[in-house]
Amino acid sequence: MSLNFQSPKSLSPNPFDQAVYRLLGQLTRLPVVGLGQIQRLSEEVPALDPLDFLWWNAPTDASNPGYWRNRQGRFSLAALGVSHEISANHQDELPGIFEQLRQQVAGTQALYFGGCSYNGRHGDHEWQAFPAASFRLPLVEFRKTHDSYELAVNLKADHENLWYQQRAEARSCLEDLVFTHESTTDLVESKNATNPVLARQDSLTLREWRQWISFTLNAIRRGEFQKAVLARSVDLTLGKPLDIGAALGRWQNLNPNSFCFALGQGEKTFMGCSPERLFVRKHQQLKTESLAGTMRRGRTKEEDFFFEQILKQDPKLKREHQLVSDYLTQTLAPLTQDLHSIGSDTVFKLAKVQHRYLPFQAQLKPEAGDYQILSALHPTPAICGFPKKVAADFIEQMERTNRGWYSGLVGVVSEQFSEFAVAIRSALVTKQSVKCYSGVGIVEGSDADSEWQEMEDKICALLAVLSG
């Protein structure tokens, strides 16, 4: 079976179109070899925002688009289509999932994008479309790595018919790509368009929350655990379907030092802008961090400095952060060599809130891989509590919110590096419906009304993004 290759892009002076033409040529000449293995074709392209690329090109059907941007913005990925997916319905399958990922990317430049739910279970209710874990090899991808930009095709087929089908789908996708918006004015208006919130429904009331906190503090005083992280959800109805690309772009601009992501699953999209890294692995070098303790941002420099000093000096906030730091050092000790903090405690500032922050780095032992790191760290005391098992059981009894992938993990896996963010400051989007999530850590000394306000600050930051 041959592919008839003719493309008007060969006559275009546009450097993007020329790159697509060259990639189509590679695809046409590619022989049917290596079935069962990843075949990756790529071409360098001029600079372009991967988020713009994605939402100019994502079809309106359920093509499961994906987006990932790391904290520094040095690496971004826009994904169209799926050539291979590795998924699990229960956390017991995760060791096998990560072994499959390791085998698939070995000796390649390929990268899988995806994540895991908070509790390692397949979603129910609104999360029904999301399994316990899912990692996808994009059919067509656009990567930014430092100052280099790359357009690539990934084929992964176990039999010849599927290989030809994937190649045809990749060609169709490439031929339909656009790299500039038809109207700059329309693009600016789209990115800045407002989308009013027509209705809001909270998962619990302030009165109920006060009862929760009283019950939780009593359990802490009885010595059952030291910390529990409780979350609530807010359902929003918008005036029109959410422009996810524009909203995520605004979110990213407000918090440029956060991880941004979007993962489409049928009619639903899980999106977020998380400040918290779980870990990054570059070969056998590991970096992670302790991020806990929250204070609002001030409206003036003076007020912001005042809140920062509270964050640094308040015993409750210091204790909350120290729990996470101690947990990291104790949990990672069996997997690492020369584990140490980088510098001293500092403050990590976002648009609406600020956190206590301490980074760590280490050399991984030879037997330590992505799964071993992930299973050791997740869920951290910052999103679950301490001790982990007792806190997790308590949360399951208390919370009405079905967390799904909220406070789970989202990231990328490759042979050269892997990186995961904790999926907080996130929302589940379905057309004009948005479910937002926020949580707070409860320790001895927590005040119910103050913790409620902290959750509300986090929700308001998301409201500002969604409504424009």
Side-chain angles (χ1 to χ4, degrees), residues 226-227 290-295 307-327 345-347 354-358 381 441 443-446 451 454:
Q226 293 175 258
K227 176 182 180 181
S290 169
L291 186 80
T294 306
M295 183 59 59
F307 287 140
E308 180 181 327
Q309 295 311 301
I310 295 177
L311 181 62
K312 289 180 176 179
Q313 298 170 18
D314 182 86
K316 178 259 179 186
L317 297 174
K318 291 172 69 174
R319 183 164 57 252
E320 185 179 351
H321 185 228
Q322 191 63 47
L323 278 174
V324 180
S325 298
D326 292 345
Y327 171 81
D345 291 6
T346 185
V347 174
Q354 48 192 323
H355 305 281
R356 294 179 63 91
Y357 171 76
L358 181 64
V443 298
E444 181 62 39
S446 291
E451 302 296 349
E454 179 182 324

Side-chain angles (χ1 to χ4, degrees), residues 239-422:
K240 58 185 177 181
L242 181 67
D243 185 330
I244 293 175
L248 198 56
R250 290 193 295 269
W251 213 346
Q252 187 172 278
N253 290 335
L254 284 171
N255 297 296
N257 54 351
S258 290
F259 299 89
C260 275
F261 59 86
L263 183 70
Q265 189 76 31
E267 294 184 350
K268 295 180 180 290
T269 299
F270 181 51
M271 60 180 286
C273 197
S274 171
E276 186 172 351
R277 169 188 282 157
L278 186 72
F279 72 87
V280 58
R281 173 193 59 81
K282 293 184 179 179
H283 299 288
Q284 290 301 105
Q285 293 289 326
L286 175 71
K287 288 186 178 181
T288 185
E289 62 198 30
S290 169
L291 186 80
T294 306
M295 183 59 59
R296 67 170 62 185
R297 296 295 304 273
R299 290 166 293 183
T300 65
K301 288 184 179 180
E302 292 76 16
E303 188 180 49
D304 197 56
F305 179 76
F306 173 76
F307 287 140
E308 180 181 327
Q309 295 311 301
I310 295 177
L311 181 62
K312 289 180 176 179
Q313 298 170 18
D314 182 86
K316 178 259 179 186
L317 297 174
K318 291 172 69 174
R319 183 164 57 252
E320 185 179 351
H321 185 228
Q322 191 63 47
L323 278 174
V324 180
S325 298
D326 292 345
Y327 171 81
L328 290 177
T329 55
Q330 294 167 12
T331 303
L332 289 175
L335 302 176
T336 60
Q337 301 168 344
D338 189 31
L339 175 65
H340 61 278
S341 61
I342 306 171
S344 56
D345 291 6
T346 185
V347 174
F348 192 92
K349 292 181 180 286
L350 298 167
K352 297 293 184 179
V353 295
Q354 48 192 323
H355 305 281
R356 294 179 63 91
Y357 171 76
L358 181 64
F360 292 82
Q361 67 180 18
Q363 175 75 21
L364 288 167
K365 292 180 179 179
E367 65 273 17
D370 291 339
Y371 174 71
Q372 287 72 26
I373 305 167
L374 182 149
S375 60
L377 293 179
H378 178 72
T380 71
I383 52 97
C384 174
F386 187 83
K388 181 162 62 174
K389 178 64 168 62
V390 181
D393 290 343
F394 181 82
I395 290 168
E396 187 162 358
Q397 295 174 11
M398 289 289 293
E399 282 186 355
R400 297 177 187 174
T401 297
N402 177 17
R403 291 196 183 189
W405 278 39
Y406 163 70
S407 69
L409 305 174
V410 175
V412 291
V413 176
S414 72
E415 182 177 54
Q416 297 77 23
F417 76 97
S418 296
E419 186 164 22
F420 284 92
V422 181

Side-chain angles (χ1 to χ4, degrees), residues 78-100:
L80 295 171
V82 179
S83 62
H84 186 229
E85 182 173 8
I86 301 174
S87 61
N89 288 321
H90 195 272
Q91 61 185 358
D92 292 344
E93 302 173 54
L94 288 180
I97 292 296
F98 277 87
E99 177 58 23
Q100 288 185 61

Side-chain angles (χ1 to χ4, degrees), residues 160-226:
E160 192 169 308
N161 287 342
L162 180 58
W163 188 90
Y164 280 115
Q165 178 183 330
Q166 286 189 2
R167 189 171 73 163
E169 290 174 356
R171 175 181 177 175
S172 176
C173 184
L174 289 174
E175 290 181 333
D176 290 339
L177 290 181
V178 295
F179 297 94
T180 57
H181 199 274
E182 291 183 2
S183 168
T184 303
T185 301
D186 290 346
L187 177 60
V188 171
E189 290 178 353
S190 173
K191 289 185 175 183
N192 296 323
T194 59
N195 194 343
V197 175
L198 302 182
R200 168 176 171 164
Q201 179 65 48
D202 290 58
S203 61
L204 76 164
T205 65
L206 176 57
R207 180 180 178 181
E208 292 168 327
W209 173 254
R210 287 169 175 159
Q211 293 172 345
W212 276 24
I213 299 307
S214 177
F215 188 79
T216 305
L217 289 174
N218 286 335
I220 291 173
R221 292 172 188 133
R222 290 194 300 268
E224 296 180 17
F225 48 83
Q226 293 175 258

